[in-house]
Amino acid sequence: MPVGEPTFLTLLSADTDHSFWVPRLAGKTDLIPNHRNKMWVEPRETGLYLGQCAQYCGTQHAKMLLRILRRIPRDFDR
């Protein structure tokens, strides 16, 4: 994601409830099956942002880790 401009996300789930959570990016946003949820983020710093699904969603829950890499627009475009 490029730094310095908002990034709009559409959050969807096909199977069960999830909770999108990247603490340095934004609060938790729930994902409910067959329901479109939207959010936007605009962090001002580059770097790696770590997150995870914050709601127990089944046997593979522990493997639902998120990595978001923020770069300045020039590096992002490259």
Side-chain angles (χ1 to χ4, degrees):
M1 294 180 179
V3 170
E5 54 190 70
T7 299
F8 296 89
L9 305 171
T10 299
L11 305 172
L12 304 167
S13 172
D15 55 2
T16 188
D17 292 354
H18 297 279
S19 189
F20 180 87
W21 183 47
V22 183
R24 289 181 50 214
L25 208 56
K28 297 175 189 174
T29 302
D30 291 333
L31 286 77
I32 301 165
N34 302 313
H35 176 77
R36 183 181 306 259
N37 205 342
K38 296 181 180 186
M39 68 181 292
W40 63 274
V41 294
E42 191 176 2
R44 308 233 183 258
E45 299 176 12
T46 60
L48 182 63
Y49 291 74
L50 301 176
Q52 65 188 50
C53 179
Q55 178 169 323
Y56 181 73
C57 55
T59 58
Q60 298 299 313
H61 173 72
K63 296 181 181 181
M64 296 194 71
L65 303 176
L66 304 165
R67 292 183 185 151
I68 296 176
L69 188 58
R70 300 294 295 208
R71 294 286 185 220
I72 59 174
R74 179 185 68 233
D75 291 342
F76 178 80
D77 291 340
R78 185 178 43 164

